[in-house]
Amino acid sequence: MQPSTEKLEHGERLSTEQLLQYLPWLKEIPGPQLKWADGAAVLRHFKRGDVVCHEGEFASTAFYIVSGSVDIFIANKIAHVNTRHGIGGFVARMKSFLVSDKQGQRDSGSKGFIPIDASIDLSINSPLAELGSGELFGEMTCRTFQPRSATVQAREDCVMVEFLRVVLDMLMGSRDVDAATKASTKVKAATFKGTSFKTELDKKYRERSLNNHLRSVPLFASLDENFLAVLNQSVELVTFGKNQVICKQGDAADAFFLIRSGMVKVSNALPGGEMVRTYLGRGDYFGEIGLLLNQPRSATCTALDTVSLVKIAKPEFEQMLTTFPAVRQTLMQVAETRLASSQKKDVPRGLNLDEFLNQGLFEAQNLLIIDLDRCTRCDLCVRACAEAHDGVTRLLRDGLRYDRYLVATTCRTCRDPLCMTQCPVGSIRRKDNLEIIIEDWCIGCSKCAELCPFGNINMHPVEFMEEVKAAQATPAPTPEAAKLVMPPAPKKGFKAATCDLCTDLPVPSCVYACPHDAARRVDPTHYFSTSFAATARWQPSKFKKRTTHDSDHDALKHK
């Protein structure tokens, strides 16, 4: 094992004896195992206004607040990328700016809070909260080496213990080492059962946060306080380690789960392997289909890493549905949508499966293809995309070939959306119509771009428009919040952006602009396996406005 001090650059190194004074729960760890904690923790002192950590920075430590309190918030602007067109159209270099989301335009699938790496969530309207002594933050960063999810600043003079994962494992219990890690390393790491520290954190969560967590989920918005109090005492708080199966396809449905922290993979077993349906994060739920329809589990749910869940057993779940019919109605709608989505993803017939799978086409649900028999290489599809997206195209007329088609380089809305798996603030998600959404609270950490196997997510440099900055300067919600002196937002920053299927247009710009009907957006599992390929065209949702093209006669082109 490497010396722990190499990873802790600041603070006063704590010996094992000193560490026990600040984290007395470690006394429950057997003496021989405590040697792993030597040099794995430091004592940090912060003055009022000092920044403990910045959102987006990569780290490997967690913090325990010994004394004092901190503010935890998103310093980056809660806004999204927008276009300001320059003079000269395509030739002119356009710039990306950040603009605020208009109230009321958020869709029903968007969470009402920002999930962060702490025991609390941040409100979208006022992304600021307070943590006090006895609190832990940075747990997921410590375990998974993901970017920091928020900026933390001392509200008053503070004393904290900063420590590496070995100390966190001692306190909370070791996560299971997956088979791939075991096979790739000969280094043996100590494993720990955990201490009463985790029990105390669960108690605090149940007393202070569980009701708010339940209430923040739209599904439980209609529950009254009395029932929430009963539910609070009856639910079970459970934790699963990396790659541990939470529930298995075909098993009897015995509980409903709400995700407290971590990421869950939902998949089905198909001939030839596993098919990932989606990923669920903090505030999402699963397990409702089997309970509602009185049938076995329809999918396997697996912890991507350490996952904490709120488990509602079948009797309490059925009582909730009986008492609150609105919850049943909402769940039935979600269950029907999920079942319909799964049925559409069966393995296609009539394909050259080897080539189809090797090119990753089976991952795609909405694929941009170019018929090379029709294409004249005019590049109008690329130019139209650039005009619609800040002067920088989100597609390249290059890629793999399948049959007579070119598979262009642009978002495929993958069946296994790896881009969603490690966002520290849950700002990337997918709507039912397959559109990838980058939420306004993207902190620009670039994890989604790194994880996209096809390189189809771009990090856009953005500038802050003065008029928008003035509109975003909302009054502080409380006198306490007014005391916070936030670090100034940078003049320039980064936000993730990817193909959004031009959802405010009847037809995607790239498809619309092709004069030879060569560019098409298709579901490859149907397009390449049936005669559908001869007649298939983009089937748009109905939109009220058009912003990229305004020619009346052109609007009839793809009817």
Side-chain angles (χ1 to χ4, degrees):
M1 171 176 270
Q2 277 188 321
S4 298
T5 51
E6 290 186 8
K7 299 180 181 179
L8 294 169
E9 300 177 354
H10 307 284
E12 173 189 343
R13 177 176 172 175
L14 295 174
S15 66
T16 303
E17 292 74 18
Q18 292 172 321
L19 184 59
L20 293 177
Q21 297 176 18
Y22 296 104
L23 301 175
W25 304 274
L26 293 178
K27 295 177 182 178
E28 302 170 25
I29 301 296
Q33 287 190 325
L34 276 177
K35 67 179 182 179
W36 294 99
D38 187 30
V42 293
L43 192 66
R44 302 285 304 274
H45 295 270
F46 297 93
K47 297 291 185 180
R48 180 181 181 275
D50 287 349
V51 175
V52 181
C53 59
H54 291 276
E55 63 205 52
E57 65 183 10
F58 286 83
S60 58
T61 61
F63 290 86
Y64 175 77
I65 303 175
V66 177
S67 63
S69 61
V70 299
D71 288 301
I72 185 165
F73 55 91
I74 301 295
N76 203 344
K77 293 293 184 182
I78 307 299
H80 58 271
V81 176
N82 197 30
T83 306
R84 172 179 283 183
H85 292 269
I87 300 175
F90 179 76
V91 178
R93 181 66 177 179
M94 300 181 188
K95 293 185 178 180
S96 299
F97 296 89
L98 291 186
V99 297
S100 297
D101 198 9
K102 294 182 180 179
Q103 190 171 1
Q105 288 189 347
R106 302 183 63 79
D107 63 90
S108 59
S110 180
K111 292 185 177 70
F113 59 89
I114 303 173
I116 58 172
D117 190 7
S119 60
I120 54 176
D121 299 312
L122 299 183
S123 166
I124 291 176
N125 296 325
S126 179
L128 169 67
E130 180 182 353
L131 294 176
S133 60
E135 299 280 4
L136 175 73
F137 65 90
E139 178 182 350
M140 294 307 296
T141 295
C142 186
R143 286 189 182 277
T144 64
F145 308 108
Q146 293 181 8
R148 299 286 187 193
S149 62
T151 297
V152 179
Q153 186 177 33
R155 174 179 282 263
E156 56 186 330
D157 292 355
C158 295
V159 177
M160 302 184 199
V161 177
E162 182 183 8
F163 48 84
L164 300 174
R165 203 183 89 188
V166 63
V167 176
L168 181 66
D169 285 346
M170 288 181 179
L171 291 170
M172 306 290 286
S174 298
R175 67 174 187 176
D176 294 333
V177 179
D178 59 284
T181 302
K182 289 180 179 178
S184 62
T185 181
K186 297 181 180 180
V187 178
K188 293 184 178 180
T191 58
F192 307 95
K193 296 181 179 179
T195 67
S196 57
F197 178 78
K198 183 179 184 301
T199 305
E200 291 188 18
L201 287 185
D202 286 345
K203 182 179 178 181
K204 289 181 180 179
Y205 173 77
R206 193 184 293 270
E207 291 175 349
R208 300 181 309 174
S209 305
L210 177 55
N211 281 12
N212 290 336
H213 191 183
L214 292 172
R215 184 70 75 191
S216 68
V217 180
L219 173 67
F220 298 115
S222 61
L223 302 185
D224 62 33
E225 292 299 329
N226 292 333
F227 188 82
L228 276 177
V230 174
L231 201 60
N232 189 307
Q233 298 304 313
S234 61
V235 301
E236 184 180 357
L237 304 180
V238 294
T239 301
F240 291 84
K242 183 177 182 180
N243 293 333
Q244 190 173 354
V245 174
I246 302 167
C247 57
K248 189 176 182 180
Q249 182 178 350
D251 286 353
D254 60 351
F256 171 89
F257 297 93
L258 173 68
I259 301 177
R260 175 181 166 189
S261 66
M263 188 72 68
V264 173
K265 178 177 69 175
V266 182
S267 62
N268 287 125
L270 296 176
E274 176 190 63
M275 161 89 102
V276 176
R277 297 302 187 191
T278 189
Y279 293 97
L280 302 174
R282 183 167 175 164
D284 292 324
Y285 54 86
F286 60 94
E288 78 287 352
I289 295 177
L291 294 173
L292 284 170
L293 304 180
N294 194 27
Q295 66 181 34
R297 298 290 191 193
S298 60
T300 296
C301 297
T302 309
L304 276 190
D305 212 285
T306 302
V307 173
S308 296
L309 303 171
V310 178
K311 180 181 179 181
I312 303 178
K314 186 175 182 179
E316 287 75 22
F317 181 80
E318 291 177 342
Q319 180 186 355
M320 178 178 66
L321 298 185
T322 301
T323 308
F324 301 94
V327 175
R328 175 184 289 276
Q329 183 179 1
T330 302
L331 280 173
M332 282 300 298
Q333 293 173 350
V334 173
E336 290 171 358
T337 299
R338 288 179 175 178
L339 283 173
S341 177
S342 295
Q343 291 169 359
K344 292 178 181 178
K345 299 177 183 177
D346 293 334
V347 177
R349 298 180 179 180
L351 292 175
N352 179 349
L353 281 181
D354 286 342
E355 185 178 357
F356 197 76
L357 295 174
N358 287 339
Q359 292 193 15
L361 302 186
F362 189 58
E363 287 294 322
Q365 295 184 93
N366 194 301
L367 190 70
L368 178 63
I369 60 172
I370 298 175
D371 188 336
L372 296 177
D373 289 346
R374 293 173 176 265
C375 179
T376 63
R377 285 64 171 174
C378 66
D379 247 10
L380 285 177
C381 56
V382 178
R383 292 165 65 90
C385 182
E387 287 282 2
H389 296 106
D390 311 322
V392 180
T393 181
R394 296 183 184 182
L395 77 88
L396 296 177
R397 191 174 54 78
D398 190 16
L400 301 172
R401 271 68 169 175
Y402 184 84
D403 195 35
R404 70 175 191 269
Y405 298 99
L406 168 70
V407 180
T409 301
T410 189
C411 182
R412 302 182 175 197
T413 61
C414 296
R415 296 173 186 271
D416 186 357
L418 296 175
C419 57
M420 298 169 57
T421 61
Q422 292 188 29
C423 177
V425 291
S427 66
I428 182 169
R429 63 181 180 87
R430 186 162 64 196
K431 296 170 65 176
D432 292 339
N433 69 350
L434 305 183
E435 175 190 358
I436 290 289
I437 294 292
I438 307 291
E439 295 281 15
D440 287 3
W441 60 82
C442 168
I443 61 175
C445 70
S446 78
K447 284 301 297 185
C448 57
E450 294 172 9
L451 289 169
C452 176
F454 307 106
N456 293 328
I457 297 180
N458 302 313
M459 300 306 299
H460 281 234
V462 290
E463 297 181 4
F464 299 106
M465 298 169 63
E466 293 302 325
E467 60 270 28
V468 172
K469 290 170 69 178
Q472 289 177 332
T474 55
T478 62
E480 290 76 15
K483 298 177 182 178
L484 174 67
V485 181
M486 292 189 181
K491 293 292 184 182
K492 293 185 178 180
F494 288 89
K495 290 276 187 176
T498 189
C499 174
D500 59 3
L501 306 183
C502 290
T503 50
D504 58 350
L505 299 174
V507 182
S509 298
C510 53
V511 176
Y512 183 95
C514 180
H516 310 292
D517 200 26
R520 304 172 185 179
R521 275 280 184 181
V522 303
D523 180 342
T525 60
H526 293 92
Y527 192 86
F528 292 128
S529 61
T530 68
S531 59
F532 182 72
T535 58
R537 296 295 183 270
W538 171 261
Q539 299 296 324
S541 302
K542 293 183 179 179
F543 298 97
K544 295 181 180 179
K545 61 180 181 178
R546 296 167 59 82
T547 58
T548 302
H549 309 288
D550 56 9
S551 174
D552 292 334
H553 74 275
D554 282 344
L556 300 173
K557 179 178 178 181
H558 289 276
K559 280 191 174 181

